[in-house]
Amino acid sequence: MRNTATRVRLTAVVAAAASIAVLAGCSSSGHSGSSASASSCEPAKGKVTLQYWNTVPGMDKVVALWNKQNPDIQVQTKNISNDQYGTISNALKAGTAPDLAQVGYDELPNLRTQNAFVDASACSAATAAKSQFVPWTWSQASFGGTGVFAFPQDTGPMALYVRSDIFKQHGLTPPKTWDEYAADAQKLHAADPGLTMTFFDPNNAEWFNGLLWQNSAQMYSYSGNEWHVTVASDQSKQVADYWQKLIDAKLVRTDLANGSTQMYAAYQKNQIASYVGAAWGYSMFRDNLPSQAGKWSIVPMPTWGGNSASGDWGGSTVAFMKGSKHLYESVKFNTWLNTDPQALALENSLGGLYPAATAGLKLPALSQGVPYYNNEKIFDVFADSSRNIDTNFAWGPTQKTVNLSLQDAMAKAAAGSGTLTGALSTAQSTALKSMKDLAIPAAAGK
Amino acid sequence: MTAVTVTETRAKRVVAAPRAPRRRLSGGGVGAGTIIAFLTPFFLPFVLFYLVPVGYAIWQSFRVVRRNGGQYGTSYTTFGGFDQYSQVLHNHEFWSSIGRIGLFGIVQVPVMLFVALVMALLLDTPLLKVKSFFRIAAFMPYAVPGVIAAIMWSYLYSPQLSPVVDILKHLGLQPNFLGPGAVLWSAANVSTWLWTGYNMLIMFSALQAIPQELYEAAKLDGAGNWTIAWRIKVPIIAPSIVLTTVFSIIGTLQLYAEPAVLRQISSNISSTFTPNMLAYAVASGNNYQQAAAISVVIALITFVLSFGFMRLTSKKAGL
């Protein structure tokens, strides 16, 4: 009996020791990473298997094509759309990160502060790829410097989707500037109180950021060894004030979430006349509102006083992850994946990706008229938009936290307490606080 | 003097009592190996999936992130004392989420448990026919996963799609189930729908355990059905009611699924609507240490509230 008690106690001790070992294992990983210095770019001897994590539907088929053509560089894909950044962050902590992973432009700085990437500029093929991508995408993937941490994959250049039939019915032509857009919104709503120009989704900071980007709002910059946070800049406030006026005058709705069933229902019932969207959105309307075929057109974004600048909403890169032992092969596959016309065509048809590669913009599928949109060459509009996106725009290292804070404050503003400009100030202080929490040196800019 | 005697007797009793079973134990050949074999399936997962994560969270909550140089730098964690806790306690969002959930619990828990109790009492009366049907019907929502239930209800709340909203509009009403003031109660309604049947079943099985003789005796004393219900049944099943209350308090503090789903269609649910949602939001911003501290504080509050409630009611409920 006594013996038993001792043994039970012993097992408890062993279990406790094991748990401490686990804890220790977890803690040590935090120290292991060194800053992203250029790694060597030696081709491996013999067969190599790469891991590639992504969220793109149909990507397994694209990779299968590569695997067939490249028996010595086999790629395994894993779909992590369930919890993209949670999966990546956990893998980084556990030291099991893949060779390549899909990372959105706005999450690049955040992951870089977690030492997630390896600089592939040691491979000449990586630096040479620069000329193959739309300029703003490369500046995002290289953090505006000489390093190469990711290759751009897809983009979301913005444009205005209009119900041309509703516009025609009310004697309107697609607006060229945001002022005209507001004036048209007024006319539509006055003519039919059940009709609004568009909706403002307060829970979609990514979309709103695209609008800020269009107005050359610089949210972050870096100099003197610290980040300068200018989330609530004059350019940002101009955009916020504009939408605040539309909300106050009830010219836009605030009760719809982008992409929700409710949103499609409102469009289906002809309650909304336009949609401020991105390139990847073209299939959303085509697939969810088949009965409105031929009623939609896509025109360039309304501009701020004739300045042709546009904005981007969404899109991703394929990043070179720290710990990869096969940088040479990773660069090779990544180059093919994001510049080869055959790969780009598959990604576009299966995953709906709008390419970041300049060659991709000339794909046959992206040069033809689209039946749903009256056979208009809608992708010409998006290609123009992509060319007009500010290359200096930079995301912050705690972008997700800032986005959540901005959304919460914008939702309050939409519900009548506070303003969108106030929401920008909230986001500004959240940015500073969240960076301080993670020991990232930051100060309010300008 | 008395104290010593008491201790001695107690000691004797302790020594004397287990003697017989002990012999039987060793005689039957139940060795240490058997005990370990039986305990391991419990203890191993318990340690791995309960003690270790809890220990890890507590350990994390005492760490802070530091960074070595540069725009992106290299991060590491170091001991930070109660730094994270002080931040949590000074976090305005944290306290408003606690306040929101407090309001939710004060209203939703009594309403739900009262409805559950009435349903359990009704099921227990001889007046009700087709009992098994009602029992299953009331329990059914519990079989629906919380997320699915929330999605289902979100369609009933949505002004674009809901037949309920359409009907109310035809009656001249302007319901807004997802508005800033209403959305908390819309979430509460989903929770109530989900959990009432479950709580009812716990109370009902307690009612089933009451011996029939008690009712006969009560009837002889002139008690009607009403009196039997409130004077005999309810006091006897009080421990079950306390139990369901404690479960509900814990469930309320951990509320996540219902508001998180409704958030998809209503911007009036913020990312920090409930304490758990706040912890998740902070963790998704890579501030795992602060998220750990939030979790520990939530756990402590849950502890204090549920044990506080048990202590408060233990005498009355006869626990």
Side-chain angles (χ1 to χ4, degrees), chain A residues 104-258:
Chain A
Y105 296 101
D106 53 353
E107 282 294 309
L108 282 169
N110 170 18
L111 276 168
R112 195 169 166 197
T113 59
Q114 297 178 53
N115 284 308
F117 305 135
V118 58
D119 183 358
S121 60
C123 303
S124 54
T127 43
K130 179 178 178 176
S131 60
Q132 306 205 49
F133 294 99
V134 176
W136 73 265
T137 64
W138 189 265
S139 74
Q140 297 261 316
S142 61
F143 297 86
T146 52
V148 181
F149 299 92
F151 279 175
Q153 181 163 63
D154 72 311
T155 63
M158 294 177 84
L160 186 67
Y161 293 62
V162 292
R163 275 286 298 273
S164 26
D165 59 326
I166 296 180
F167 269 65
K168 214 169 278 165
Q169 189 192 328
H170 290 88
L172 300 175
T173 51
K176 294 268 185 289
T177 65
W178 285 112
D179 284 341
E180 287 176 32
Y181 188 67
D184 289 351
Q186 179 85 55
K187 284 178 200 153
L188 284 180
H189 197 58
D192 177 358
L195 179 67
T196 51
M197 179 58 111
T198 189
F199 66 97
F200 181 92
D201 176 3
N203 252 354
N204 199 333
E206 287 84 1
W207 174 80
F208 192 68
N209 287 336
L211 298 176
L212 300 180
W213 193 338
Q214 186 200 12
N215 200 27
S216 309
Q218 290 292 330
M219 300 213 273
Y220 299 90
S221 60
Y222 185 83
S223 65
N225 286 327
E226 61 182 6
W227 288 81
H228 300 274
V229 182
T230 47
V231 173
S233 66
D234 291 343
Q235 286 91 337
S236 299
K237 282 179 181 161
Q238 188 187 3
V239 178
D241 284 340
Y242 175 84
W243 287 93
Q244 184 68 51
K245 280 184 194 135
L246 290 179
I247 292 170
D248 288 343
K250 307 237 181 289
L251 296 178
V252 296
R253 291 170 61 159
T254 56
D255 60 339
L256 299 172
N258 183 66

Side-chain angles (χ1 to χ4, degrees), chain A residues 19 23 27 30 33 93 110 112-115 143 222 227 253 257 262 269 401 408 411 433 437-440, chain B residues 35 52 56 59 65 67 70-72 74-75 87 155 158 160 264-265 267-268 270-271 284-288:
Chain A
S19 62
L23 292 179
S27 70
K93 284 202 176 60
N110 170 18
R112 195 169 166 197
T113 59
Q114 297 178 53
N115 284 308
F143 297 86
Y222 185 83
W227 288 81
R253 291 170 61 159
Q262 288 79 1
K269 292 178 187 168
T401 307
D408 288 348
K433 160 100 175 47
D437 284 349
L438 296 178
I440 299 165
Chain B
I35 290 172
V52 171
Y56 184 58
W59 182 78
V65 177
R67 201 170 286 273
Q71 183 176 8
Y72 296 99
T74 305
S75 68
Q87 286 202 46
Y155 282 106
S158 157
Q160 302 296 321
Q264 306 295 322
I265 57 161
S267 56
N268 292 312
S270 67
S271 63
S284 75
N286 284 321
N287 199 344
Y288 292 103

